[in-house]
Amino acid sequence: MQTAISIIIALIIFGILVLIHEFGHFIVAKKNGVIVNEFSIGMGPRIFSRVAKSGTRYSLKILPFGGSCAMLGEDEDNEEEGSFNSKSIWARMAIVFAGPFFNFILAFILALIVIGATGADISYVTGVSENSAAYKAGLRKGDRITKYNGAHAVLGREIYLEDYVNPLNGSEITISFVRDGEKKTIKYRPDTEKKYMVGMNYNASDAEAKITKVPENSAMEKAGVQSGDIVTEIDGTKISSGNQMSEYITEHPFGEKKVNITLNRNGRKIQVTVTPQVTETANSGFTYNLGREKQSVGGVIKYSFTEVRYEIATVLKSLKMLVTGKVSANEVSGPVGIVDVIGDTYTTARSEGVAITILTLMNLAIMLSANLGVMNLLPIPALDGGRLFLYLIEIITRKKIPKDKEGMIHFIGFILLMALMIFLVFNDIRKLM
């Protein structure tokens, strides 16, 4: 029953994201006088279809992934009146770019609703250790951070993201902040210490203590712990949430003694013994806000833009980590993994009531919509970004790329994308087993 609900919710979210994406192509194509033969949601055989007076066929197809806005002459050497290729290069680029752009618009609209209802996690300093390098450099409680090591840090999560992508290693930290309307910038080397660590990232929240990352060669990895495992017990103490695990670790810091951890891995109980490793760690010396606070109308608009920027940055930095090997392909989720995340999100939020559940799923949709927008803009054949890249070549060379060659490029890209999709699906299933 729970799985069925998760799938239904996922299909609704995916359907809306694709609908908005394809509507972007559709509306800009119409504005530029391009004839749209078919506007469809999904792939495969049609399960519903209707032809409008304009001649456009509107279809719902059986497979709930993807969609299309089939324009006259789009993939043919056809320049008759009303065809896609009869339009200027700038019109064609606008039509292609509109799909991803509408996903960013959707993310912004959803952010307006979520932030309007729950507020924003503004990145002000909540505490500074008096003996820390940060305190000596001039950082104080209440300072509102704007940049952290060169990255935008208007939201607390932006600081968390930067630390996740580029963990502190003793190198100099640069922080820009505002105090009483005055902008300041400080630089300092973080304090370092040697301590016993097990090596893991997890969600420090009221939700389940789900492990989000297990660093390579860490004690947790050597013990067989995987990303996605949920900690339910540490040395006999029950753990019901990420916050509770954080409190437990603070009260019982790791040492030479081995640690017995009980995990929930997709419904299976797993027990592991972890041997903490001595690791030199760097400490920024301050804590920052991650709680949401209500905003004025102007603040809601401002932080909604910031929210979309944060989600875009998250996708780009995650891709960089994947390319540079900081995260493995096994940590990437495909359709099955996303459905599982949506299911977990729904299960965790539903006990808080309908309103909180809807807002939580909207928050997840913001991330997915921004993700879809960014991924479609990558210069990969068969994606919108691949088409835009070829149009840039056309602008530079002032010659249209023959449609047969362009079609072959996109066909090869499509095959590679399908191969990647198959890999991700099997990888998701393997992780769920």
Side-chain angles (χ1 to χ4, degrees):
M1 181 63 179
Q2 186 62 49
T3 301
I5 293 174
S6 300
I7 293 174
I8 291 171
I9 294 173
L11 291 180
I12 292 172
I13 293 176
F14 286 144
I16 293 172
L17 299 186
V18 172
L19 174 64
I20 295 300
H21 181 94
E22 296 303 328
F23 181 73
H25 293 312
F26 173 79
I27 195 67
V28 177
K30 287 284 190 179
K31 289 292 184 182
N32 280 278
V34 175
I35 297 172
V36 178
N37 293 327
E38 183 177 23
F39 178 79
S40 65
I41 301 298
M43 299 173 65
R46 300 185 185 102
I47 57 177
F48 171 80
S49 179
R50 185 177 70 85
V51 179
K53 291 181 180 179
S54 63
T56 300
R57 178 183 293 276
Y58 296 90
S59 304
L60 180 65
K61 298 185 177 180
I62 194 166
L63 298 177
F65 302 108
S68 66
C69 175
M71 293 168 276
L72 178 66
E74 182 179 4
D75 297 313
E76 305 169 0
D77 282 320
N78 180 354
E79 296 192 12
E80 65 179 279
E81 182 66 25
S83 69
F84 178 79
N85 286 311
S86 68
K87 304 303 174 182
S88 70
I89 182 67
W90 303 110
R92 283 179 280 142
M93 290 183 74
I95 293 168
V96 172
F97 179 74
F101 184 66
F102 267 55
N103 280 126
F104 297 139
I105 292 176
L106 174 62
F108 174 72
I109 292 172
L110 293 175
L112 285 173
I113 298 171
V114 173
I115 292 175
T118 64
D121 53 317
I122 302 172
S123 57
Y124 59 83
V125 178
T126 56
V128 187
S129 302
E130 290 192 9
N131 295 322
S132 68
Y135 189 89
K136 294 174 183 175
L139 193 66
R140 295 293 183 269
K141 180 179 179 180
D143 290 343
R144 180 171 292 190
I145 296 173
T146 56
K147 279 197 171 182
Y148 179 75
N149 275 341
H152 289 289
V154 176
L155 303 176
R157 281 169 294 152
E158 292 181 301
I159 301 177
Y160 180 87
L161 175 63
E162 181 60 24
D163 275 340
Y164 181 85
V165 175
N166 299 301
L168 297 179
N169 57 10
S171 299
E172 189 175 65
I173 296 176
T174 302
I175 299 176
S176 296
F177 59 90
V178 176
R179 181 191 300 162
D180 299 326
E182 183 181 354
K183 297 179 180 179
K184 297 175 180 284
T185 298
I186 60 172
K187 295 182 179 182
Y188 66 93
R189 289 192 176 276
D191 304 309
T192 58
E193 62 176 326
K194 290 185 177 181
K195 55 195 283 189
Y196 285 91
M197 304 282 287
V198 296
M200 65 174 172
N201 291 91
Y202 61 92
N203 291 324
S205 67
D206 290 330
E208 296 172 316
K210 177 178 284 190
I211 296 173
T212 57
K213 182 180 179 182
V214 180
E216 190 175 355
N217 296 320
S218 67
M220 293 289 264
E221 185 195 50
K222 292 176 181 178
V225 180
Q226 299 177 7
S227 175
D229 288 346
I230 298 170
V231 177
T232 59
E233 192 174 304
I234 301 178
D235 281 339
T237 299
K238 298 290 183 182
I239 302 296
S240 60
S241 69
N243 284 337
Q244 188 177 352
M245 183 160 78
S246 181
E247 292 171 4
Y248 178 87
I249 293 173
T250 300
E251 295 173 2
H252 306 84
F254 298 117
E256 297 180 359
K257 184 181 176 182
K258 293 183 179 181
V259 182
N260 296 308
I261 300 178
T262 302
L263 305 166
N264 178 343
R265 181 177 296 165
N266 304 310
R268 289 187 295 130
K269 181 179 179 180
I270 296 175
Q271 293 181 315
V272 297
T273 299
V274 182
T275 304
Q277 300 172 337
V278 178
T279 308
E280 185 173 67
T281 62
N283 190 332
S284 65
F286 70 95
T287 56
Y288 52 89
N289 175 56
L290 284 170
R292 290 180 179 265
E293 299 176 355
K294 288 276 193 173
Q295 301 296 315
S296 64
V297 173
V300 169
I301 295 173
K302 171 186 174 181
Y303 291 113
S304 293
F305 278 112
T306 305
E307 184 74 26
V308 176
R309 184 190 68 198
Y310 162 75
E311 295 295 354
I312 293 173
T314 300
V315 178
L316 293 175
K317 290 182 179 182
S318 297
L319 286 172
K320 181 180 178 181
M321 292 177 71
L322 181 62
V323 171
T324 56
K326 289 185 178 180
V327 296
S328 67
N330 287 333
E331 295 181 69
V332 180
S333 292
V336 177
I338 294 173
V339 170
D340 187 51
V341 170
I342 291 173
D344 289 345
T345 302
Y346 168 75
T347 301
T348 302
R350 68 176 181 174
S351 61
E352 301 294 327
V354 176
I356 296 298
T357 301
I358 292 174
L359 288 171
T360 303
L361 291 173
M362 278 188 177
N363 199 45
L364 181 60
I366 294 171
M367 182 270 288
L368 292 174
S369 192
N371 195 300
L372 180 61
V374 172
M375 297 302 290
N376 264 283
L377 285 175
L378 295 178
I380 298 173
L383 295 180
D384 293 327
R387 291 180 179 274
L388 290 172
F389 181 75
L390 293 180
Y391 294 153
L392 287 176
I393 293 177
E394 182 179 329
I395 291 173
I396 295 171
T397 62
R398 298 184 180 181
K399 292 182 180 179
K400 281 189 176 182
I401 298 174
K403 277 297 171 184
D404 57 340
K405 293 183 179 179
E406 182 181 342
M408 181 57 66
I409 291 171
H410 291 312
F411 177 74
I412 293 172
F414 179 77
I415 296 298
L416 293 175
L417 287 174
M418 288 300 100
L420 175 62
M421 183 65 71
I422 292 171
F423 165 77
L424 290 175
V425 169
F426 277 101
N427 191 47
D428 287 342
I429 295 173
R430 180 188 61 79
K431 288 190 288 186
L432 291 173
M433 295 177 63

